[in-house]
Amino acid sequence: MKTLRSLSLLITVITVITSFSFAETLVFDGTNGLAGWDFLGSGNAYNIDDGGSLAPMQDLVSMESPANTNNFGLDGAAWGWDAAKFSPSAYITPESGAWAGARFEAPAGYIITGVNIPKAYFNVGANMAVAVADGEGNIVAQSARSASNEMVTDIAAAGLSTTAVEIRWVNTSSTTTNVWANNGVIISSVEVALELDTNAITTEVFAEAGLEGWEYIGSGTAYDVADGGAEKPFNEIVNFISPANTNDFGTDGGSWGWDAGMFSPVNQIQPNSGAYVGARYTAAEGKTIISVSVPKMYFNVGTSMVVQMVDDAGNVLAQTTRAALTEMVTDLTAEALDTSFIELRWVNTAASTINLWGESNAVIFNTVEVSTADDPDYDPFDPIVYENPSKPSTWYGYYHAYTDFNNWGNAFPEVGSFTNLNHVFPNQGATDAAVANHSYMLVDTHWQLFEADGSGGYQLKSNYEDAVSGLVSLFNGYEEYVGAFSPIDEPYHRNVSQADLETAIAALKEAFPGVPVYVNFAPTVAPNLTAETLPAGADWLAFDLYESGDGQPVQIADIQAIVNHMKSIKLPEQKLFIIPPSAMNLVADYTDQQLADSINDFYSLMQSDDEIIGMMVFPADGCRQEHFDGAGSTIPLALAAQQAIGSEIAGEVCGDIWNGFYKFDYNRDCHVDLIDFAAYGAVWSSE
C-alpha cells in the first residue's frame, strides 16, 4: 500500500454549531421502543412471592417494549403505542430509593440538552415515580404523584449538557413500598434533544498541504492501452497528485484554497466496472469520524466516473450525481457518522469498462473537511494482546531481581544468564534491565493497585483503573517481556479481601489479555485454602515456606504436602510455582550446603510433577552480600546449584537445542556462536 507524500499539514479547528429545537428530537416510541437504551437499576427489593428474599431491584422488574400485553386497559394505539413499561412479575417491596430503568448514551460528538416524557400512566402507589437523571446520576426531573391510578404528562428537563440520561422507575418513599405483580408505569414515548458538542469536535481541513496522512488505496483492474491492453491494478496506473496540480483544466487552484488532490490516469486506460482509486483517512486512536465534507470537485471525465464516500463497513455514505462530461459538483457531505476511517473513491459506476484519456481525464478536490470526536466505545485495552507463542513452558527466576526497596537495586546482571522470569516492581529501569538480559518480568503491582486500610491490612485503591492504564503505558512497546502479574504478595496474609483481589486480577487480565496472573500465598494460608477461596482468574498459584518448625530448614515433605493440597482444590488449567530459599538467615538458619540441598530437592519435586511449572527463588537481592558477590560468595555451593538448575530450566526458552552449551549463550539469542565465545573469553580473561 502506498502512502501519500508527507507535507506540512494545514489543520484548522472549526466551531460548528447545529441547534436542535425541542420538537426536533430523537423520538423513542412504539415503533422501536427504547432501542439502543441499556436496562439497568440500583438498590434491592424483597420478593414476597419467594419468601421475602432480597434481590437487586433490576432483577425483579422487567422492561417491556414496545407493545405491552397488559396496558391497564389503555389503548396503546392511541399513544402511538408504548415506548416502555416497567413492572414486576411478582409481589415485591422495593427499598427506599431502589429503581429500575434505562440509560441512553448520546452519539459521539453530541450532548443531550433536553428530555421529555409526554405521557406516563401509573397503575401503582403514589410513592413510585418516574425520574429523569443525567449522566452523573443527578435527578433533573421527576413525576409528581397523587393517586394510585393516574396519567402524568410532560416529565421534562431542559437546559442540560450531559452525555447520557436515565429514565428511572423509583420508590421515593423513605421506607419500603408494596408493589403488586404487573403494577407499574407505561411510558408513551421519550424525546431526547441533541446538539453537537463543539468542545469535543475537531475538524481538520485538508487543502493546500494536500491529503497528508491519508493512504492511497484502490481496487479492481484496468486495461493499459499504451501497454498493449495489459490488465493491471487500477491504482497502479492512476496518479494521485497533491497539492497543486500541473493540469487543472483551466481552473484556478488558488481561488479554490488550492487543490487537496487530483486523481488522473498516466495514459489511456479502460477501468473495469467497480474499479476505483482513492484515499483513506483513519481517525486517531480513541476518536471516531462523525462527518466528512468535500465543498467542491471539478470533473473532466465521463459521467460514469463518480466520487463516493465509504465508511469502515464498506457502506457508500454519499455519491456525486454526474450530469455532464465537464462539470463542478459541490457539497458532497456525510454526517452523523460513527466510523474509524473514511475513504474517498474515484470509481467507475458503469456496467462495463470505459475509456479514460490520460491526465486530461480526472477529478480535482479543492478541500476535504473531516470532523472527529471522542469514540464512546473506545477501550484503550482492546487493541493490545500480550501473548508470545514462544514463551517457555517452565520457568526459573528470583524474587526482587529489580527493586528500589532498601536500595537493593538491580540483580539482573548476576542472574540474567540463567533465568527466564524475574520478579520486579514496575518502572522503566526494571523494564530496561529485563530487556538487556532477555528475561520475562513477573510484575508486582502491590504499590500501584493497593494501599494500607488503616487497620493493618491492605485494600484496593479507588483509582486502581488509572493505575492499570499507567501500566499499559509503561509497557507499551515492551509487551513481549511481560511474563506475568502478581497483584500483591501474600494477599490474604495482608488482609486483602477476596473481592478486592479478584477485582485487581480482572482489571489486569482485561488490560493485558494473554498474560497470566500469579498469586503467592503465605505458609499459614496455603494449607487452609479451599476451592472457594482461591481467587477467580488466577492462573499460577504459589506458596512460600522456608522452615519446618523450631527454626529448622524446610523439609521437602512439607512442601510436597502443600503441593498436594493445592492440586486438590485448583482448577485443571491452573499451574503451580514453588519458592526455594536462598539466604542463610531466612526465617530458618541455613548453611550453604543446606541451601544447595534445598534447591536440588525443590527441583526434583518440580521434575516429578507436571503441575509444577516454575520456581521463583527468594530472594535475589535481599542477600546480595552473601549471594552474588563473585569469588567471595559465602554460599558458593548454593549458587552453583542454582545456576545449574536455572540453566537447565531457562534453556527451554530456546528449546534446549544446544546440547548443554546454553549457558554460554551470552547474548541470549538462542544461538551459541562466535559472538558468545568472544564474550566468554572477555569474562574469562578478566578473572
Side-chain angles (χ1 to χ4, degrees):
M1 179 178 291
K2 292 184 281 187
T3 302
L4 303 189
R5 68 183 69 182
S6 176
L7 299 169
S8 60
L9 178 62
L10 174 66
I11 299 178
T12 304
V13 178
I14 297 178
T15 300
V16 182
I17 301 178
T18 301
S19 297
F20 287 80
S21 70
F22 209 68
E24 298 172 20
T25 62
L26 298 179
V27 177
F28 300 87
D29 56 22
T31 60
N32 57 0
L34 297 187
W37 294 57
D38 295 319
F39 182 51
L40 71 169
S42 178
N44 301 308
Y46 298 93
N47 187 348
I48 306 304
D49 290 350
D50 190 24
S53 62
L54 191 65
M57 175 79 160
Q58 178 184 359
D59 293 347
L60 300 174
V61 172
S62 63
M63 180 176 77
E64 301 173 50
S65 176
N68 302 305
T69 54
N70 178 357
N71 60 6
F72 316 137
L74 298 176
D75 180 5
W79 288 47
W81 289 104
D82 314 322
K85 171 186 168 186
F86 296 102
S87 64
S89 57
Y91 172 24
I92 65 173
T93 56
E95 296 177 327
S96 176
W99 58 270
R103 181 182 177 93
F104 173 76
E105 301 278 350
Y110 288 85
I111 56 173
I112 297 168
T113 59
V115 180
N116 184 37
I117 301 174
K119 287 190 292 186
Y121 185 83
F122 291 86
N123 185 27
V124 69
N127 287 327
M128 295 300 296
V130 166
V132 178
D134 64 16
E136 302 300 319
N138 303 306
I139 302 300
V140 295
Q142 183 171 303
S143 59
R145 298 291 313 285
S146 59
S148 294
N149 296 82
E150 62 181 327
M151 179 81 76
V152 177
T153 59
D154 297 326
I155 306 169
L160 305 180
S161 180
T162 182
T163 58
V165 289
E166 294 174 351
I167 304 299
R168 301 178 176 182
W169 185 51
V170 59
N171 174 20
T172 60
S173 171
S174 60
T175 61
T176 58
T177 294
N178 288 333
V179 179
W180 298 92
N182 295 319
N183 281 183
V185 61
I186 299 176
I187 295 171
S188 62
S189 62
V190 182
E191 302 168 354
V192 180
L194 300 174
E195 285 187 6
L196 284 170
D197 183 0
T198 57
N199 295 319
I201 296 175
T202 299
T203 298
E204 295 184 53
V205 179
F206 299 89
E208 63 183 276
L211 298 187
E212 193 270 346
W214 293 54
E215 293 177 324
Y216 184 49
I217 59 172
S219 178
T221 59
Y223 300 95
D224 187 344
V225 177
D227 191 19
E231 187 175 13
K232 301 176 181 178
F234 191 29
N235 63 328
E236 291 186 4
I237 46 180
V238 171
N239 281 329
F240 178 82
I241 307 171
S242 173
N245 302 305
T246 55
N247 178 359
D248 60 4
F249 318 131
T251 62
D252 179 5
S255 67
W256 286 44
W258 293 103
D259 311 325
M262 178 175 88
F263 295 108
S264 64
V266 296
N267 49 54
Q268 184 185 354
I269 63 175
Q270 296 175 328
N272 286 311
S273 177
Y276 69 85
V277 294
R280 174 186 293 173
Y281 174 88
T282 301
E285 183 175 355
K287 300 290 184 178
T288 186
I289 298 169
I290 62 171
S291 68
V292 182
S293 177
V294 182
K296 286 191 290 188
M297 286 169 284
Y298 187 84
F299 289 88
N300 186 29
V301 70
T303 56
S304 65
M305 294 299 297
V306 303
V307 169
Q308 296 175 339
M309 290 180 177
V310 180
D311 66 11
D312 58 9
N315 301 309
V316 176
L317 307 171
Q319 178 174 306
T320 54
T321 301
R322 296 293 312 285
L325 188 69
T326 303
E327 64 181 325
M328 180 81 74
V329 178
T330 60
D331 297 326
L332 183 67
T333 301
E335 297 178 329
L337 309 180
D338 183 7
T339 179
S340 61
F341 64 78
I342 196 77
E343 293 177 351
L344 294 178
R345 299 178 178 180
W346 187 47
V347 59
N348 174 21
T349 58
S352 60
T353 59
I354 61 170
N355 286 326
L356 299 181
W357 296 91
E359 291 187 4
S360 63
N361 283 178
V363 61
I364 300 175
F365 303 91
N366 71 325
T367 59
V368 181
E369 301 169 3
V370 182
S371 296
T372 59
D374 292 336
D375 183 354
D377 298 322
Y378 173 66
D379 183 344
F381 303 144
D382 277 348
I384 304 172
V385 177
Y386 295 78
E387 185 58 59
N388 186 344
S390 64
K391 279 184 178 178
S393 58
T394 55
W395 304 88
Y396 181 87
Y398 288 83
Y399 270 91
H400 298 306
Y402 192 105
T403 176
D404 295 330
F405 183 66
N406 281 353
N407 296 314
W408 286 348
N410 178 16
F412 274 94
E414 291 90 353
V415 304
S417 64
F418 57 94
T419 59
N420 58 9
L421 179 70
N422 284 289
H423 171 271
V424 304
F425 290 101
N427 57 45
Q428 190 60 49
T431 303
D432 292 342
V435 171
N437 289 273
H438 302 277
S439 173
Y440 293 95
M441 293 178 286
L442 173 58
V443 181
D444 192 324
T445 62
H446 179 142
W447 305 112
Q448 283 70 36
L449 302 186
F450 292 87
E451 62 186 359
D453 62 7
S455 303
Y458 287 86
Q459 63 188 7
L460 192 64
K461 291 181 178 180
S462 60
N463 65 339
Y464 72 92
E465 292 174 314
D466 293 336
V468 171
S469 296
L471 293 172
V472 171
S473 298
L474 174 64
F475 295 125
N476 182 32
Y478 301 98
E479 296 86 356
E480 64 183 286
Y481 294 95
V482 180
F485 282 97
S486 171
I488 183 172
D489 193 48
E490 298 182 338
Y492 295 158
H493 180 68
R494 288 181 162 86
N495 293 326
V496 173
S497 70
Q498 185 171 350
D500 274 3
L501 179 59
E502 291 178 346
T503 299
I505 291 172
L508 289 168
K509 293 177 82 71
E510 179 183 6
F512 300 88
V515 175
V517 171
Y518 168 107
V519 180
N520 175 52
F521 298 97
T524 55
V525 172
N528 300 307
L529 289 168
T530 65
E532 289 73 27
T533 56
L534 282 180
D539 303 289
W540 295 348
L541 308 173
F543 62 92
D544 49 43
L545 177 63
Y546 306 123
E547 58 95 19
S548 290
D550 299 326
Q552 297 301 307
V554 67
Q555 300 298 306
I556 200 63
D558 296 323
I559 301 298
Q560 177 75 74
I562 299 180
V563 166
N564 290 342
H565 173 67
M566 299 288 281
K567 288 165 61 177
S568 72
I569 61 173
K570 73 177 188 66
L571 298 173
E573 61 270 22
Q574 293 174 315
K575 299 300 179 183
L576 302 178
F577 275 65
I578 50 180
I579 304 176
S582 181
M584 299 178 76
N585 58 351
L586 186 64
V587 184
D589 291 328
Y590 285 85
T591 66
D592 181 22
Q593 184 62 59
Q594 286 172 325
L595 287 174
D597 292 342
S598 178
I599 189 76
N600 282 309
D601 288 342
F602 273 74
Y603 186 39
S604 295
L605 176 59
M606 177 178 170
Q607 288 179 304
S608 69
D609 195 330
D610 291 340
E611 295 298 301
I612 304 173
I613 64 168
M615 291 198 294
M616 292 298 298
V617 183
F618 186 89
D621 49 8
C623 52
R624 290 290 288 275
Q625 295 304 310
E626 62 187 28
H627 199 168
F628 301 114
D629 58 355
S633 175
T634 56
I635 53 171
L637 298 176
L639 179 55
Q642 291 171 15
Q643 288 175 327
I645 291 170
S647 295
E648 288 188 22
I649 295 174
E652 295 185 15
V653 73
C654 299
D656 199 12
I657 61 174
W658 311 320
N659 297 321
F661 289 99
Y662 44 78
K663 65 184 69 178
F664 298 112
D665 183 27
Y666 276 75
N667 65 352
R668 301 301 294 274
D669 64 354
C670 295
H671 298 284
V672 178
D673 49 26
L674 289 177
I675 296 175
D676 298 301
F677 282 107
Y680 173 73
V683 173
W684 177 81
S685 63
S686 67
E687 294 181 349

